Amino acid sequence: MLKILNFINGNHCEAVNKNFIENSNPSTGLVYSTLPDSDEQDVERAIESAQNAYNSWSNISAESRFKILNRIAELIDEKNEELALAESIDQGMPLWFARTQVTLSAQNFRFFATAAMQYSSTNHSMEGNYVNYNQKSPIGIVACISSWNLPLYIITWKIAPALATGNCVIAKPSEFAPATAFMLSEICYQAGLPNGVLNIINGRGEKAGNIIVSHPKIKAISFTGKLSTGKVISTLAAPLFKKLSLELGGKNPVLIFADCNLEKAVKETVRASFLNQGELCRSGSRILVEEKIYNNFKKAFLTELKYQSLGNPLLNDTKIGAIVSKQHYDKILSYIEIAKAEGGKILFGGEPVFPKGLENGWFISPTVIENLKNESICNREEIFGPVVTLTSFKTEVDALEIANSTDYGLASSVWTENIQTAHRIATNIKTGLVWINCWMYVDTKSPFGGMKNSGNGNSGAWNIMDFFTEQKNVYIKY
Ligand code: NAD
């Protein structure tokens, strides 16, 4: 049994209360690890250790920070296979995909290591012999709370910029996929990160997470998770005037126009729908197809699905792995039932799958549903699983109206060979990310984040460096 521990002041430890939570391997349905069920006592210890470390960490040179963060990146790269295997077993994603996410996690540290060296203040001359400059200082102790869907990638996407800007961090991985954050703590220790600079608290969201968010000494929270949790966190944080970076859910439209390269559009839309079991905030879940090619697209899309092998995440040819938890598996299946009740026609899948040897695991067939109204629950609420809906549209105006009709606004992809259509859609669609004739690409140099209820768009590049700092303007008369 793998025993995941908290990481406080450079030491691995159980929860003070000795309570723990069981965590299962989604491919087998069997408990294979335990993690601390942390409470106030653990959070207090983490805060104390962060406080003790802060003065020194916030004052060391940017180059010293760079060296440690860059070393963490190197160690993540060196342990790629080990981390990927742990991620795949813990989360259910195919191993080959986990390897790509570990590589990106190393890149997160490398990018923000170098960003620490480049981050600078501005100054402005003013009329009347005045000059002003701004100082960017770390905030102090910040929280990084992450989801289970890309466990290592998302937590490093937060921790790296928080550390690069000189903050001390209390991180909380998801209780459903805590393994690689535990391994990261060991890597940080090996890389020479001083004790107390990064503390990792495991536990339940509504308990440990809540305590972290409410703690008066934590002044900024970077959160990735559900819209409903984002609302709870906003409510707790607002009276304490904490800074919030929220990366929330999506109900992402894919717009397929009749003039697109159909073969590419079909292949990439299958990927956009089912990569990581459809458990990506960027997954396309509402496929809108121009009426003229609806039947052709549908036929090609359903044919392509036959090549999406589902099963053991550790096998090289597996495209679709297991669903992270029983709770989430039940939730996805319940949405499929809702879709049926709403008059949806299941074109493909729509049911659990029991791969040979993994009959107790949580697998769901890729599922394609048509005939649902735009107002239906399954076209509005985030399912976050291998379930997509197909809808036809007549004109570009209709397509935009449908695309913009949910409360979410995270990402969209558009397939057309007409550059004018592409630009018009990119301008008028209400999503923080737009991919034209592609999907999934994210550049760490660029801002990242959703519009509307998908978050407040504070992530990526300098945005997140600014988020993790406080700025002060100094005016001088000379
Ligand atoms: P979740 O909201 O259930 O949990 C996220 C994290 O918050 C976990 O660590 C959890 O323990 C913690 N948490 C839960 N309740 C809390 C509380 N009251 N106070 C403090 N912390 C609390 O989300 P999830 O199921 O882990 O993740 C899936 C969601 O994340 C989806 O909606 C997905 O779209 C979203 N997501 C968004 C992005 C993005 O960039 N916008 C990226 C990945 C995932």
Side-chain angles (χ1 to χ4, degrees):
M1 183 80 62
L2 171 67
K3 191 169 177 182
I4 286 163
L5 296 168
N6 287 339
F7 183 62
I8 300 176
N9 201 26
N11 296 305
H12 285 125
C13 48
E14 297 179 341
V16 175
N17 62 25
K18 304 278 184 234
N19 293 339
F20 57 86
I21 303 169
E22 292 183 332
N23 178 39
S24 301
N25 174 339
S27 302
T28 62
L30 297 175
V31 173
Y32 89 106
S33 75
T34 60
L35 59 140
D37 185 5
S38 306
D39 63 19
E40 286 89 355
Q41 304 174 80
D42 308 287
V43 174
E44 276 310 330
R45 290 181 62 209
I47 298 269
E48 193 187 327
S49 97
Q51 256 181 326
N52 292 339
Y54 179 66
N55 200 20
S56 148
W57 180 248
S58 58
N59 281 306
I60 65 167
S61 67
E63 189 174 353
S64 306
R65 260 184 239 144
F66 158 79
K67 283 183 181 156
I68 295 172
L69 299 188
N70 197 45
R71 183 67 194 133
I72 296 173
E74 286 171 354
L75 289 172
I76 293 176
D77 275 337
E78 282 169 25
K79 293 177 197 287
N80 185 299
E81 194 59 25
E82 221 178 297
L83 285 159
L85 186 61
E87 193 86 301
S88 173
I89 292 170
D90 207 33
Q91 198 270 2
M93 65 176 68
L95 178 57
W96 59 265
F97 179 62
R99 291 186 186 112
T100 65
Q101 297 309 299
V102 176
T103 300
L104 290 175
S105 304
Q107 282 174 16
N108 283 340
F109 267 100
R110 194 166 292 117
F111 179 90
F112 287 108
T114 55
M117 300 270 286
Q118 317 290 332
Y119 197 50
S120 61
S121 294
T122 49
N123 68 62
H124 304 277
S125 296
M126 300 167 70
E127 274 179 32
N129 292 351
Y130 286 95
V131 66
N132 78 80
Y133 63 90
N134 74 339
Q135 284 178 338
K136 296 179 179 177
S137 324
I139 292 177
I141 307 175
V142 301
C144 297
I145 302 180
S146 58
S147 57
W148 49 258
N149 65 311
L150 296 176
L152 187 66
Y153 173 73
I154 291 176
I155 211 157
T156 55
W157 168 251
K158 297 175 181 306
I159 291 174
L163 297 180
T165 41
N167 297 284
C168 289
V169 173
I170 312 291
K172 200 199 93 55
S174 166
E175 57 272 45
F176 296 107
T180 47
F182 178 48
M183 294 166 80
L184 177 69
S185 63
E186 180 61 31
I187 287 174
C188 290
Y189 182 77
Q190 284 174 16
L193 190 71
N195 292 350
V197 171
L198 170 66
N199 302 277
I200 300 183
I201 294 289
N202 287 283
R204 298 177 203 279
E206 61 280 10
K207 189 159 123 191
N210 220 308
I211 296 164
I212 293 169
V213 167
S214 315
H215 201 289
K217 294 214 166 113
I218 290 181
K219 295 292 180 200
I221 301 158
S222 166
F223 169 78
T224 296
K226 293 191 193 86
L227 169 61
S228 54
T229 315
K231 284 184 184 169
V232 173
I233 291 179
S234 301
T235 310
L236 292 170
L240 298 167
F241 302 105
K242 295 177 186 232
K243 276 179 109 174
L244 277 185
S245 169
L246 299 172
E247 296 186 22
L248 307 176
K251 191 71 188 172
N252 307 319
V254 179
L255 284 67
I256 314 271
F257 285 90
D259 63 1
C260 72
N261 177 327
L262 189 63
E263 198 186 325
K264 277 194 195 154
V266 167
K267 278 213 156 53
E268 276 301 280
T269 305
V270 166
R271 219 167 64 86
S273 306
F274 303 115
L275 184 66
N276 202 32
Q277 303 71 249
E279 298 163 332
L280 291 171
C281 61
R282 309 160 200 181
S283 297
S285 52
R286 293 181 295 144
I287 306 171
L288 317 179
V289 188
E290 192 168 345
E291 204 173 56
K292 282 185 237 167
I293 60 156
Y294 184 81
N295 285 332
N296 285 349
F297 178 89
K298 178 165 88 176
K299 195 168 160 215
F301 189 77
L302 296 178
T303 305
E304 187 66 26
L305 284 189
K306 297 190 181 127
Y307 304 107
Q308 303 299 303
S309 47
L310 180 151
N312 188 343
L314 303 182
L315 300 179
N316 282 340
D317 62 355
T318 294
K319 291 266 171 54
I320 302 176
I323 303 297
V324 67
S325 65
K326 176 73 166 62
Q327 185 182 322
H328 193 55
Y329 169 85
D330 288 341
K331 177 183 153 187
I332 296 169
L333 292 175
S334 76
Y335 270 109
I336 296 173
E337 291 310 311
I338 292 173
K340 288 182 194 161
E342 287 184 316
K345 180 174 169 198
I346 309 286
L347 298 175
F348 196 98
E351 58 204 2
V353 181
F354 305 95
K356 200 160 179 287
L358 297 172
E359 288 82 358
N360 295 321
W362 306 311
F363 296 87
I364 298 178
S365 165
T367 298
V368 185
I369 308 171
E370 73 172 354
N371 210 26
L372 281 175
K373 293 205 170 74
N374 193 31
E375 310 74 51
S376 66
I377 291 174
C378 293
N379 265 333
R380 299 207 160 246
E381 294 184 11
E382 185 187 43
I383 301 174
F384 213 54
V387 180
V388 296
T389 62
L390 279 185
T391 306
S392 70
F393 66 84
K394 281 199 170 70
T395 64
E396 188 182 314
V397 173
D398 294 342
L400 260 175
E401 195 179 316
I402 302 172
N404 285 337
S405 64
T406 73
D407 293 336
Y408 289 108
L410 187 56
S412 55
S413 46
V414 184
W415 292 87
T416 174
E417 293 294 299
N418 183 332
I419 186 119
Q420 306 204 21
T421 309
H423 275 305
R424 275 196 303 271
I425 298 282
T427 304
N428 294 312
I429 204 159
K430 299 278 181 260
T431 59
L433 288 161
V434 185
W435 287 289
I436 312 281
N437 295 329
C438 59
W439 173 72
M440 179 78 171
Y441 295 96
V442 169
D443 184 345
T444 321
K445 293 191 290 300
S446 299
F448 176 94
M451 293 180 170
K452 302 199 280 185
N453 288 0
S454 288
N456 55 12
N458 270 331
S459 286
W462 301 121
N463 274 9
I464 194 72
M465 299 286 280
D466 286 345
F467 172 79
F468 280 126
T469 49
E470 282 184 313
Q471 303 206 21
K472 183 191 287 174
N473 247 49
V474 180
Y475 291 82
I476 303 174
K477 169 98 175 142
Y478 60 89

Short mmCIF file of all heavy atoms in Angstrom, two decimals, residues 402-453:
data_model
loop_
_atom_site.label_atom_id
_atom_site.label_comp_id
_atom_site.label_asym_id
_atom_site.label_seq_id
_atom_site.Cartn_x
_atom_site.Cartn_y
_atom_site.Cartn_z
N ILE A 402 -25.32 29.58 -30.72
CA ILE A 402 -25.31 28.33 -29.93
C ILE A 402 -24.01 28.25 -29.11
O ILE A 402 -24.03 27.95 -27.92
CB ILE A 402 -25.42 27.09 -30.84
CG1 ILE A 402 -26.70 27.15 -31.68
CG2 ILE A 402 -25.40 25.81 -30.02
CD1 ILE A 402 -26.79 26.07 -32.76
N ALA A 403 -22.90 28.57 -29.78
CA ALA A 403 -21.59 28.45 -29.09
C ALA A 403 -21.56 29.32 -27.84
O ALA A 403 -21.04 28.92 -26.80
CB ALA A 403 -20.47 28.85 -30.05
N ASN A 404 -22.14 30.52 -27.94
CA ASN A 404 -22.06 31.47 -26.82
C ASN A 404 -23.20 31.32 -25.80
O ASN A 404 -23.29 32.11 -24.87
CB ASN A 404 -22.09 32.92 -27.35
CG ASN A 404 -20.77 33.30 -27.99
OD1 ASN A 404 -19.73 32.71 -27.69
ND2 ASN A 404 -20.80 34.29 -28.89
N SER A 405 -24.03 30.28 -25.98
CA SER A 405 -25.25 30.27 -25.17
C SER A 405 -25.11 29.62 -23.80
O SER A 405 -26.07 29.55 -23.06
CB SER A 405 -26.37 29.56 -25.95
OG SER A 405 -26.00 28.21 -26.13
N THR A 406 -23.91 29.13 -23.43
CA THR A 406 -23.79 28.57 -22.07
C THR A 406 -23.16 29.62 -21.14
O THR A 406 -22.64 30.64 -21.61
CB THR A 406 -22.91 27.30 -22.03
OG1 THR A 406 -21.56 27.70 -22.20
CG2 THR A 406 -23.31 26.31 -23.08
N ASP A 407 -23.19 29.32 -19.84
CA ASP A 407 -22.59 30.24 -18.87
C ASP A 407 -21.07 30.14 -18.86
O ASP A 407 -20.40 30.95 -18.25
CB ASP A 407 -23.11 29.92 -17.45
CG ASP A 407 -24.58 30.24 -17.32
OD1 ASP A 407 -25.06 31.08 -18.11
OD2 ASP A 407 -25.25 29.64 -16.46
N TYR A 408 -20.54 29.08 -19.48
CA TYR A 408 -19.09 28.90 -19.51
C TYR A 408 -18.48 29.65 -20.70
O TYR A 408 -19.17 29.96 -21.67
CB TYR A 408 -18.74 27.42 -19.66
CG TYR A 408 -19.04 26.61 -18.41
CD1 TYR A 408 -20.10 25.71 -18.38
CD2 TYR A 408 -18.24 26.72 -17.28
CE1 TYR A 408 -20.35 24.93 -17.24
CE2 TYR A 408 -18.49 25.97 -16.14
CZ TYR A 408 -19.55 25.08 -16.13
OH TYR A 408 -19.79 24.33 -15.01
N GLY A 409 -17.17 29.87 -20.65
CA GLY A 409 -16.48 30.54 -21.76
C GLY A 409 -15.00 30.23 -21.73
O GLY A 409 -14.17 31.13 -21.74
N LEU A 410 -14.67 28.92 -21.69
CA LEU A 410 -13.26 28.60 -21.56
C LEU A 410 -12.53 28.52 -22.90
O LEU A 410 -11.64 29.30 -23.18
CB LEU A 410 -13.11 27.28 -20.77
CG LEU A 410 -11.68 26.89 -20.41
CD1 LEU A 410 -10.98 27.99 -19.63
CD2 LEU A 410 -11.66 25.61 -19.61
N ALA A 411 -12.93 27.56 -23.74
CA ALA A 411 -12.17 27.32 -24.97
C ALA A 411 -13.12 26.95 -26.11
O ALA A 411 -14.24 26.50 -25.87
CB ALA A 411 -11.18 26.19 -24.75
N SER A 412 -12.64 27.15 -27.33
CA SER A 412 -13.44 26.75 -28.50
C SER A 412 -12.48 26.34 -29.61
O SER A 412 -11.32 26.77 -29.61
CB SER A 412 -14.31 27.91 -28.98
OG SER A 412 -13.51 29.05 -29.22
N SER A 413 -12.96 25.53 -30.53
CA SER A 413 -12.15 25.31 -31.74
C SER A 413 -13.04 25.45 -32.96
O SER A 413 -14.24 25.14 -32.92
CB SER A 413 -11.39 23.98 -31.71
OG SER A 413 -12.22 22.96 -31.29
N VAL A 414 -12.42 25.96 -34.01
CA VAL A 414 -13.17 26.34 -35.21
C VAL A 414 -12.48 25.70 -36.40
O VAL A 414 -11.27 25.80 -36.56
CB VAL A 414 -13.13 27.89 -35.38
CG1 VAL A 414 -13.98 28.33 -36.56
CG2 VAL A 414 -13.57 28.58 -34.10
N TRP A 415 -13.27 25.05 -37.25
CA TRP A 415 -12.71 24.37 -38.41
C TRP A 415 -13.30 24.98 -39.67
O TRP A 415 -14.48 24.82 -39.96
CB TRP A 415 -12.98 22.87 -38.32
CG TRP A 415 -12.21 22.26 -37.18
CD1 TRP A 415 -12.58 22.18 -35.88
CD2 TRP A 415 -10.88 21.74 -37.24
NE1 TRP A 415 -11.58 21.64 -35.12
CE2 TRP A 415 -10.51 21.34 -35.94
CE3 TRP A 415 -9.95 21.56 -38.29
CZ2 TRP A 415 -9.27 20.78 -35.64
CZ3 TRP A 415 -8.72 20.99 -37.99
CH2 TRP A 415 -8.38 20.60 -36.68
N THR A 416 -12.47 25.71 -40.40
CA THR A 416 -12.89 26.34 -41.66
C THR A 416 -11.64 26.65 -42.47
O THR A 416 -10.58 26.91 -41.89
CB THR A 416 -13.68 27.64 -41.40
OG1 THR A 416 -13.93 28.28 -42.66
CG2 THR A 416 -12.95 28.63 -40.52
N GLU A 417 -11.76 26.65 -43.80
CA GLU A 417 -10.63 27.05 -44.63
C GLU A 417 -10.76 28.52 -45.02
O GLU A 417 -9.94 29.05 -45.76
CB GLU A 417 -10.55 26.18 -45.90
CG GLU A 417 -10.21 24.73 -45.62
CD GLU A 417 -8.81 24.54 -45.05
OE1 GLU A 417 -7.83 24.90 -45.73
OE2 GLU A 417 -8.69 24.03 -43.91
N ASN A 418 -11.82 29.17 -44.53
CA ASN A 418 -12.04 30.58 -44.89
C ASN A 418 -11.51 31.47 -43.76
O ASN A 418 -12.06 31.51 -42.66
CB ASN A 418 -13.56 30.79 -45.08
CG ASN A 418 -13.88 32.21 -45.53
OD1 ASN A 418 -13.14 33.14 -45.23
ND2 ASN A 418 -14.98 32.36 -46.24
N ILE A 419 -10.47 32.22 -44.08
CA ILE A 419 -9.80 33.01 -43.05
C ILE A 419 -10.73 34.09 -42.48
O ILE A 419 -10.64 34.45 -41.30
CB ILE A 419 -8.48 33.62 -43.59
CG1 ILE A 419 -7.70 34.32 -42.48
CG2 ILE A 419 -8.70 34.61 -44.70
CD1 ILE A 419 -6.37 33.73 -42.24
N GLN A 420 -11.63 34.55 -43.33
CA GLN A 420 -12.54 35.61 -42.85
C GLN A 420 -13.53 35.04 -41.82
O GLN A 420 -13.78 35.65 -40.79
CB GLN A 420 -13.27 36.23 -44.02
CG GLN A 420 -12.28 36.71 -45.05
CD GLN A 420 -12.83 37.81 -45.92
OE1 GLN A 420 -13.78 38.49 -45.54
NE2 GLN A 420 -12.24 37.99 -47.06
N THR A 421 -14.06 33.86 -42.12
CA THR A 421 -14.95 33.22 -41.14
C THR A 421 -14.17 33.01 -39.84
O THR A 421 -14.67 33.30 -38.74
CB THR A 421 -15.42 31.84 -41.66
OG1 THR A 421 -15.94 32.00 -42.96
CG2 THR A 421 -16.45 31.22 -40.75
N ALA A 422 -12.95 32.50 -39.98
CA ALA A 422 -12.14 32.19 -38.79
C ALA A 422 -11.97 33.45 -37.93
O ALA A 422 -12.16 33.43 -36.72
CB ALA A 422 -10.79 31.64 -39.21
N HIS A 423 -11.62 34.57 -38.57
CA HIS A 423 -11.40 35.82 -37.82
C HIS A 423 -12.68 36.32 -37.18
O HIS A 423 -12.67 36.79 -36.04
CB HIS A 423 -10.83 36.91 -38.72
CG HIS A 423 -9.34 36.83 -38.84
ND1 HIS A 423 -8.50 36.82 -37.76
CD2 HIS A 423 -8.54 36.75 -39.93
CE1 HIS A 423 -7.25 36.74 -38.16
NE2 HIS A 423 -7.24 36.69 -39.47
N ARG A 424 -13.77 36.23 -37.95
CA ARG A 424 -15.05 36.73 -37.38
C ARG A 424 -15.44 35.92 -36.15
O ARG A 424 -15.83 36.47 -35.12
CB ARG A 424 -16.16 36.65 -38.43
CG ARG A 424 -16.24 37.86 -39.36
CD ARG A 424 -17.58 37.88 -40.08
NE ARG A 424 -17.82 36.65 -40.82
CZ ARG A 424 -17.45 36.42 -42.09
NH1 ARG A 424 -16.82 37.36 -42.76
NH2 ARG A 424 -17.72 35.28 -42.67
N ILE A 425 -15.29 34.60 -36.25
CA ILE A 425 -15.65 33.76 -35.10
C ILE A 425 -14.71 34.07 -33.93
O ILE A 425 -15.14 34.23 -32.79
CB ILE A 425 -15.57 32.26 -35.46
CG1 ILE A 425 -16.55 31.92 -36.57
CG2 ILE A 425 -15.80 31.39 -34.23
CD1 ILE A 425 -17.98 31.78 -36.17
N ALA A 426 -13.41 34.14 -34.22
CA ALA A 426 -12.44 34.39 -33.14
C ALA A 426 -12.77 35.69 -32.41
O ALA A 426 -12.61 35.80 -31.20
CB ALA A 426 -11.03 34.43 -33.71
N THR A 427 -13.25 36.69 -33.16
CA THR A 427 -13.57 37.98 -32.54
C THR A 427 -14.85 37.90 -31.72
O THR A 427 -14.94 38.50 -30.65
CB THR A 427 -13.75 39.05 -33.65
OG1 THR A 427 -12.56 39.07 -34.42
CG2 THR A 427 -14.01 40.43 -33.07
N ASN A 428 -15.81 37.14 -32.19
CA ASN A 428 -17.14 37.21 -31.56
C ASN A 428 -17.45 36.08 -30.58
O ASN A 428 -18.44 36.16 -29.85
CB ASN A 428 -18.22 37.23 -32.64
CG ASN A 428 -18.13 38.51 -33.46
OD1 ASN A 428 -18.03 39.59 -32.88
ND2 ASN A 428 -18.09 38.39 -34.77
N ILE A 429 -16.61 35.07 -30.57
CA ILE A 429 -16.91 33.97 -29.65
C ILE A 429 -16.43 34.36 -28.25
O ILE A 429 -15.40 35.01 -28.08
CB ILE A 429 -16.26 32.64 -30.15
CG1 ILE A 429 -17.02 31.45 -29.57
CG2 ILE A 429 -14.78 32.57 -29.85
CD1 ILE A 429 -16.83 30.17 -30.35
N LYS A 430 -17.22 33.97 -27.25
CA LYS A 430 -16.91 34.39 -25.87
C LYS A 430 -16.18 33.27 -25.14
O LYS A 430 -16.73 32.62 -24.25
CB LYS A 430 -18.21 34.75 -25.12
CG LYS A 430 -18.98 35.89 -25.75
CD LYS A 430 -18.38 37.23 -25.28
CE LYS A 430 -19.13 38.41 -25.85
NZ LYS A 430 -18.49 39.02 -27.01
N THR A 431 -14.95 33.01 -25.57
CA THR A 431 -14.12 32.04 -24.86
C THR A 431 -12.71 32.62 -24.73
O THR A 431 -12.27 33.38 -25.60
CB THR A 431 -14.03 30.67 -25.61
OG1 THR A 431 -13.47 30.89 -26.92
CG2 THR A 431 -15.39 30.02 -25.76
N GLY A 432 -12.03 32.24 -23.66
CA GLY A 432 -10.70 32.78 -23.42
C GLY A 432 -9.63 32.20 -24.33
O GLY A 432 -8.58 32.79 -24.51
N LEU A 433 -9.92 31.04 -24.90
CA LEU A 433 -8.99 30.41 -25.84
C LEU A 433 -9.74 30.05 -27.10
O LEU A 433 -10.86 29.51 -27.01
CB LEU A 433 -8.47 29.09 -25.26
CG LEU A 433 -7.49 29.14 -24.11
CD1 LEU A 433 -7.48 27.79 -23.39
CD2 LEU A 433 -6.10 29.43 -24.63
N VAL A 434 -9.15 30.32 -28.25
CA VAL A 434 -9.79 29.93 -29.52
C VAL A 434 -8.73 29.21 -30.36
O VAL A 434 -7.65 29.77 -30.58
CB VAL A 434 -10.30 31.16 -30.31
CG1 VAL A 434 -11.08 30.71 -31.55
CG2 VAL A 434 -11.15 32.07 -29.44
N TRP A 435 -9.03 28.02 -30.79
CA TRP A 435 -8.11 27.32 -31.70
C TRP A 435 -8.75 27.29 -33.09
O TRP A 435 -9.91 26.87 -33.23
CB TRP A 435 -7.89 25.88 -31.23
CG TRP A 435 -7.04 25.77 -30.01
CD1 TRP A 435 -5.69 26.00 -29.93
CD2 TRP A 435 -7.45 25.40 -28.68
NE1 TRP A 435 -5.25 25.77 -28.64
CE2 TRP A 435 -6.30 25.41 -27.87
CE3 TRP A 435 -8.67 25.05 -28.11
CZ2 TRP A 435 -6.34 25.09 -26.51
CZ3 TRP A 435 -8.72 24.72 -26.77
CH2 TRP A 435 -7.56 24.75 -25.98
N ILE A 436 -7.99 27.74 -34.09
CA ILE A 436 -8.48 27.68 -35.47
C ILE A 436 -7.75 26.54 -36.17
O ILE A 436 -6.51 26.55 -36.26
CB ILE A 436 -8.19 29.01 -36.23
CG1 ILE A 436 -8.59 30.23 -35.41
CG2 ILE A 436 -8.79 28.99 -37.62
CD1 ILE A 436 -10.03 30.57 -35.39
N ASN A 437 -8.49 25.58 -36.65
CA ASN A 437 -7.93 24.41 -37.35
C ASN A 437 -6.88 23.67 -36.53
O ASN A 437 -5.88 23.16 -37.07
CB ASN A 437 -7.36 24.81 -38.73
CG ASN A 437 -8.46 25.29 -39.65
OD1 ASN A 437 -9.60 24.83 -39.55
ND2 ASN A 437 -8.14 26.22 -40.53
N CYS A 438 -7.06 23.68 -35.24
CA CYS A 438 -6.19 22.91 -34.36
C CYS A 438 -6.89 22.82 -33.00
O CYS A 438 -8.00 23.36 -32.83
CB CYS A 438 -4.81 23.56 -34.21
SG CYS A 438 -4.85 25.23 -33.56
N TRP A 439 -6.24 22.17 -32.07
CA TRP A 439 -6.84 22.06 -30.72
C TRP A 439 -5.75 21.78 -29.71
O TRP A 439 -4.72 21.19 -30.05
CB TRP A 439 -7.86 20.90 -30.70
CG TRP A 439 -8.39 20.63 -29.33
CD1 TRP A 439 -9.26 21.39 -28.61
CD2 TRP A 439 -8.04 19.51 -28.49
NE1 TRP A 439 -9.48 20.84 -27.38
CE2 TRP A 439 -8.75 19.67 -27.28
CE3 TRP A 439 -7.21 18.41 -28.63
CZ2 TRP A 439 -8.65 18.78 -26.22
CZ3 TRP A 439 -7.11 17.51 -27.58
CH2 TRP A 439 -7.84 17.70 -26.40
N MET A 440 -5.92 22.25 -28.51
CA MET A 440 -5.12 21.85 -27.35
C MET A 440 -3.83 22.65 -27.13
O MET A 440 -3.33 22.69 -26.03
CB MET A 440 -4.81 20.35 -27.45
CG MET A 440 -3.96 19.75 -26.35
SD MET A 440 -4.94 19.48 -24.87
CE MET A 440 -3.82 18.53 -23.85
N TYR A 441 -3.29 23.28 -28.21
CA TYR A 441 -2.00 23.94 -28.04
C TYR A 441 -2.10 25.07 -27.02
O TYR A 441 -3.04 25.87 -27.07
CB TYR A 441 -1.50 24.52 -29.38
CG TYR A 441 -1.21 23.43 -30.34
CD1 TYR A 441 -2.15 23.03 -31.29
CD2 TYR A 441 -0.01 22.73 -30.26
CE1 TYR A 441 -1.90 21.98 -32.14
CE2 TYR A 441 0.24 21.67 -31.12
CZ TYR A 441 -0.70 21.31 -32.05
OH TYR A 441 -0.46 20.25 -32.88
N VAL A 442 -1.13 25.11 -26.11
CA VAL A 442 -1.05 26.21 -25.16
C VAL A 442 0.41 26.61 -25.07
O VAL A 442 1.29 25.77 -24.97
CB VAL A 442 -1.58 25.79 -23.77
CG1 VAL A 442 -1.25 26.84 -22.74
CG2 VAL A 442 -3.10 25.60 -23.81
N ASP A 443 0.66 27.92 -25.14
CA ASP A 443 2.02 28.42 -25.06
C ASP A 443 2.19 29.09 -23.69
O ASP A 443 1.44 30.01 -23.35
CB ASP A 443 2.20 29.46 -26.19
CG ASP A 443 3.62 29.98 -26.24
OD1 ASP A 443 4.38 29.77 -25.28
OD2 ASP A 443 3.96 30.60 -27.27
N THR A 444 3.15 28.62 -22.92
CA THR A 444 3.32 29.16 -21.56
C THR A 444 3.59 30.66 -21.59
O THR A 444 3.36 31.36 -20.61
CB THR A 444 4.48 28.41 -20.84
OG1 THR A 444 4.39 27.04 -21.19
CG2 THR A 444 4.39 28.54 -19.34
N LYS A 445 4.06 31.18 -22.73
CA LYS A 445 4.34 32.62 -22.82
C LYS A 445 3.06 33.45 -22.89
O LYS A 445 3.08 34.66 -22.75
CB LYS A 445 5.16 32.92 -24.09
CG LYS A 445 6.56 32.36 -24.08
CD LYS A 445 7.40 32.91 -25.22
CE LYS A 445 6.99 32.42 -26.61
NZ LYS A 445 7.05 30.97 -26.83
N SER A 446 1.92 32.78 -23.17
CA SER A 446 0.68 33.53 -23.41
C SER A 446 -0.26 33.43 -22.21
O SER A 446 -0.23 32.44 -21.48
CB SER A 446 -0.04 32.98 -24.64
OG SER A 446 0.81 33.13 -25.74
N PRO A 447 -1.13 34.43 -22.06
CA PRO A 447 -2.11 34.34 -20.97
C PRO A 447 -3.03 33.15 -21.19
O PRO A 447 -3.23 32.71 -22.32
CB PRO A 447 -2.90 35.64 -21.11
CG PRO A 447 -2.18 36.48 -22.07
CD PRO A 447 -1.28 35.62 -22.87
N PHE A 448 -3.58 32.64 -20.10
CA PHE A 448 -4.47 31.49 -20.19
C PHE A 448 -5.62 31.72 -19.22
O PHE A 448 -5.40 32.14 -18.09
CB PHE A 448 -3.71 30.22 -19.78
CG PHE A 448 -4.55 28.98 -19.74
CD1 PHE A 448 -4.62 28.14 -20.83
CD2 PHE A 448 -5.30 28.66 -18.61
CE1 PHE A 448 -5.41 26.98 -20.79
CE2 PHE A 448 -6.08 27.51 -18.57
CZ PHE A 448 -6.13 26.67 -19.67
N GLY A 449 -6.83 31.42 -19.66
CA GLY A 449 -7.93 31.52 -18.71
C GLY A 449 -9.24 31.72 -19.41
O GLY A 449 -9.30 32.04 -20.61
N GLY A 450 -10.30 31.51 -18.65
CA GLY A 450 -11.62 31.55 -19.25
C GLY A 450 -12.33 32.87 -19.10
O GLY A 450 -11.92 33.74 -18.32
N MET A 451 -13.40 33.01 -19.87
CA MET A 451 -14.32 34.14 -19.72
C MET A 451 -15.56 33.63 -18.98
O MET A 451 -15.71 32.43 -18.76
CB MET A 451 -14.76 34.65 -21.08
CG MET A 451 -13.67 35.29 -21.89
SD MET A 451 -14.37 35.84 -23.47
CE MET A 451 -13.01 36.77 -24.09
N LYS A 452 -16.47 34.53 -18.70
CA LYS A 452 -17.75 34.21 -18.04
C LYS A 452 -17.49 33.31 -16.80
O LYS A 452 -16.58 33.59 -16.04
CB LYS A 452 -18.71 33.57 -19.05
CG LYS A 452 -18.97 34.48 -20.26
CD LYS A 452 -20.20 34.11 -21.01
CE LYS A 452 -20.00 32.97 -21.94
NZ LYS A 452 -21.14 32.64 -22.79
N ASN A 453 -18.27 32.23 -16.66
CA ASN A 453 -18.12 31.43 -15.44
C ASN A 453 -16.95 30.45 -15.49
O ASN A 453 -16.84 29.58 -14.63
CB ASN A 453 -19.41 30.65 -15.16
CG ASN A 453 -20.51 31.57 -14.69
OD1 ASN A 453 -20.31 32.77 -14.56
ND2 ASN A 453 -21.68 31.02 -14.42
#
